[in-house]
Amino acid sequence: MRLSDLRGRTVAVWGTGREGRAAVTAVAAHAPADLVAVDDSANFLALPWEGELAEAAPVVTGEQGYARLAAADVVVRSPGVPQTHPWLLRLREGGATVTSGTALWMAEHADRTIGVTGSKGKSTTASLISHLLTAVDRPNAFGGNIGVPLLDLPEAERYVLELSSYQCSDLTDSPRVAVVTSLFPEHLDAHGGEREYYRDKLNLIAHGPRTVVVNGNDPRLAVELGDRAAIRAGTPGSTNVAGGADGTPWFHLGDRPLFPRAVLPLVGRHNEGNLCVALAVLDALGVDVVAARDTLAVAVAEFQGLAHRLTEIVDAEAGLTFVDDTLATSPYAAMHAIDAYDGRPLTVIVGGTDRGLDYTVFRDHLAEREITVIGVPDSGRRIVEALAGLPKVRTEVVEDLVDAVRLAREVTPTGGVVLLSPAAPSYGRFRNFEHRSEVFAQAVADTRG
């Protein structure tokens, strides 16, 4: 379905946040017979609704909102509306036509689009792809889940998009190049279970992309893909990291060296994988990666890591490195972060909204590690309890994030790392993940000296 297909039809846009605003503006330009915006009152992403928006689509709420959804020819769902929402289940059971702004946009732009998803690494990988394409004179517009709704994007020769599982789930067209960075259980409450989450995530590659690029070293992704054709970055036949002539790690395309691992300023093996995927995408698009390796090396060296993802705050006087990884909202993401600082004394702060996750995999990952784990509400105590009995793991539970930073300063040896990698979302105790980052950074500053 395209935007032009909405002409003369009754349309309900579900959600009044950034995506809903963009959808109303786009749909209104195609002369629907009737257009409303629905706010189900549980949508914490809602924004003020006034002026031209209110004129184009009045907001309805409550049961009247559901009635307007049920009566519409087409419902345009915002990504913030989960697939498990009772209203959405009722609409689908009744045979309603449900789409999304992402799906409407992709129907018209798929052939010019590189779409990137994954349980971990999608933001960094999409940013790297856009940054490296620009460096080799391939202009592109960058957007999606990382901040710019697709329906707000300008016309461009080429697009690079970061796409969440919520955005992928309604697609009926795959982008020209579909990229998957990793796969592990996440957002299960919003998708209905692990199988449903993987289905919605991999819907990105289900509708005829020309090229699929995946992280070939992700075991769960390999199982879910099966024998589907894909460029498997990170493996010897594709882009990979291997020893160079000087014995240090180098990035390679096949067996051809590109540049040293030391060029990449981001820490962690997972970020090596992210760059391998980005380079494989450039190669698939026809960029002569070997000929452009010097230019690419400069661009990689200049790449700035994204905020809230292993962002370092160095306290030289105390001899400690504090790391903000607040977007690590699952045990798997926290495990990646912990691995990034292997070999250094490490204190990790965990805990946030308790979604009832099983932390056995986290316990297994730390079984042989010497590490301090500090738990904060709400799930921190339960995470710490899951680690009970591990001989090398020291655990503490405190009342809040500020107390955790204060205690971490006391127990982390000089030269060590204090890592905020919560393995849980931020909502409940904080306005959003940015607020949790602000509190962490302020606590680091306030506890100096």
Side-chain angles (χ1 to χ4, degrees), residues 190-412:
H191 290 273
E194 186 171 345
R195 301 306 319 158
E196 291 80 3
Y197 169 69
Y198 295 158
R199 175 203 65 203
D200 290 346
K201 202 74 164 167
L202 295 179
N203 190 46
L204 181 74
I205 67 174
H207 305 284
R210 292 193 200 175
T211 304
V212 176
V213 180
V214 302
N215 177 358
N217 291 322
D218 186 286
R220 188 173 286 99
L221 181 52
V223 170
E224 294 298 324
L225 287 172
D227 58 0
R228 280 188 273 195
I231 297 171
R232 299 176 188 268
T235 61
S238 181
T239 50
N240 61 89
V241 178
D246 59 359
T248 62
W250 276 58
F251 286 96
H252 290 72
L253 176 61
D255 59 359
R256 292 169 290 178
L258 300 175
F259 42 79
R261 163 61 177 92
V263 167
L264 177 66
L266 307 183
V267 300
R269 293 290 300 275
H270 65 290
N271 279 318
E272 294 175 9
N274 292 338
L275 181 53
C276 283
V277 170
L279 291 168
V281 169
L282 263 67
D283 183 54
L285 289 171
V287 175
D288 190 334
V289 172
V290 175
R293 58 189 168 192
D294 291 341
T295 298
L296 291 171
V298 171
V300 168
E302 293 175 344
F303 182 75
Q304 300 294 313
L306 302 179
H308 318 298
R309 299 164 178 85
L310 296 181
T311 303
E312 295 187 352
I313 308 169
V314 177
D315 184 344
E317 185 175 341
L320 297 175
T321 300
F322 292 85
V323 181
D324 172 14
D325 195 40
T326 192
L327 282 173
T329 58
S330 78
Y332 297 91
M335 287 154 49
H336 280 296
I338 289 168
D339 288 348
Y341 291 95
D342 191 31
R344 295 181 65 179
L346 181 61
T347 298
V348 59
I349 300 170
V350 300
T353 307
D354 195 339
R355 296 177 292 173
L357 298 181
D358 181 358
Y359 286 95
T360 301
V361 65
F362 191 62
R363 174 190 173 88
D364 293 345
H365 195 72
L366 299 186
E368 301 300 323
R369 292 176 183 263
E370 187 169 339
I371 190 173
T372 298
V373 178
I374 300 175
V376 299
D378 293 319
S379 61
R381 182 175 296 278
R382 196 165 65 82
I383 297 172
V384 163
E385 289 172 352
L387 305 177
L390 295 181
K392 298 181 181 180
V393 178
R394 174 184 175 181
T395 60
E396 299 280 354
V397 176
V398 296
E399 291 301 314
D400 58 34
L401 184 52
V402 176
D403 287 343
V405 171
R406 186 177 293 112
L407 177 59
R409 281 191 179 275
E410 297 174 5
V411 302
T412 309

Side-chain angles (χ1 to χ4, degrees), residues 1-7 9 11-14 19-20 22-28 30 32 35 73-79 97-113 149-152 155 161 163 166-174:
M1 177 175 288
R2 295 170 178 258
L3 281 165
S4 58
D5 295 329
L6 302 180
R7 184 178 300 275
R9 307 180 77 176
V11 180
V13 171
W14 189 358
E19 294 279 351
V24 163
T25 300
V27 172
H30 288 79
L35 178 61
D73 295 327
V74 179
V75 173
V76 180
R77 178 187 70 91
S78 294
T97 299
V98 180
T99 185
S100 67
T102 305
L104 290 168
W105 184 92
M106 193 70 76
E108 299 184 15
H109 299 87
D111 196 52
R112 290 179 274 163
T113 299
L150 272 61
L151 290 172
D152 279 345
E155 277 299 310
L161 306 179
L163 299 171
Y166 311 122
Q167 291 172 303
C168 292
S169 61
D170 289 326
L171 293 179
T172 54
D173 300 88
S174 290

Side-chain angles (χ1 to χ4, degrees), residues 412-446:
T412 309
T414 300
V417 175
V418 178
L419 170 64
L420 171 64
S421 196
S426 58
Y427 44 82
R429 300 260 171 175
F430 302 94
R431 294 189 301 273
N432 46 40
F433 68 86
E434 291 98 341
H435 183 212
R436 180 161 62 182
S437 288
E438 291 169 9
V439 172
F440 178 68
Q442 190 61 52
V444 172
D446 291 346

Side-chain angles (χ1 to χ4, degrees), residues 10-200:
T10 60
V11 180
V13 171
W14 189 358
T16 55
R18 290 184 301 110
E19 294 279 351
R21 295 166 73 92
V24 163
T25 300
V27 172
H30 288 79
D34 183 59
L35 178 61
V36 298
V38 175
D39 184 348
D40 66 355
S41 78
N43 185 356
F44 64 94
L45 297 174
L47 295 170
W49 201 267
E50 54 197 11
E52 293 182 1
L53 278 171
E55 292 179 12
V59 173
V60 292
T61 60
E63 284 301 316
Q64 183 186 1
Y66 174 72
R68 295 301 295 268
L69 292 172
D73 295 327
V74 179
V75 173
V76 180
R77 178 187 70 91
S78 294
V81 177
Q83 294 288 358
T84 53
H85 195 295
W87 286 5
L88 187 56
L89 296 177
R90 287 163 63 187
L91 288 170
R92 292 195 189 283
E93 288 171 1
T97 299
V98 180
T99 185
S100 67
T102 305
L104 290 168
W105 184 92
M106 193 70 76
E108 299 184 15
H109 299 87
D111 196 52
R112 290 179 274 163
T113 299
I114 300 137
V116 184
T117 196
S119 303
K120 175 75 174 177
K122 61 183 179 296
S123 301
T124 297
T125 302
S127 298
L128 275 166
I129 293 168
S130 176
H131 178 70
L132 297 181
L133 283 172
T134 300
V136 294
D137 298 321
R138 301 287 182 95
N140 62 91
F142 181 47
N145 185 56
I146 203 166
V148 182
L150 272 61
L151 290 172
D152 279 345
L153 287 172
E155 277 299 310
E157 175 183 341
R158 184 179 296 103
Y159 299 91
V160 180
L161 306 179
E162 184 222 342
L163 299 171
S164 69
S165 53
Y166 311 122
Q167 291 172 303
C168 292
S169 61
D170 289 326
L171 293 179
T172 54
D173 300 88
S174 290
R176 173 182 176 179
V177 180
V179 181
V180 188
T181 60
S182 62
L183 209 58
F184 53 73
E186 181 69 295
H187 307 302
L188 303 190
D189 51 342
H191 290 273
E194 186 171 345
R195 301 306 319 158
E196 291 80 3
Y197 169 69
Y198 295 158
R199 175 203 65 203
D200 290 346

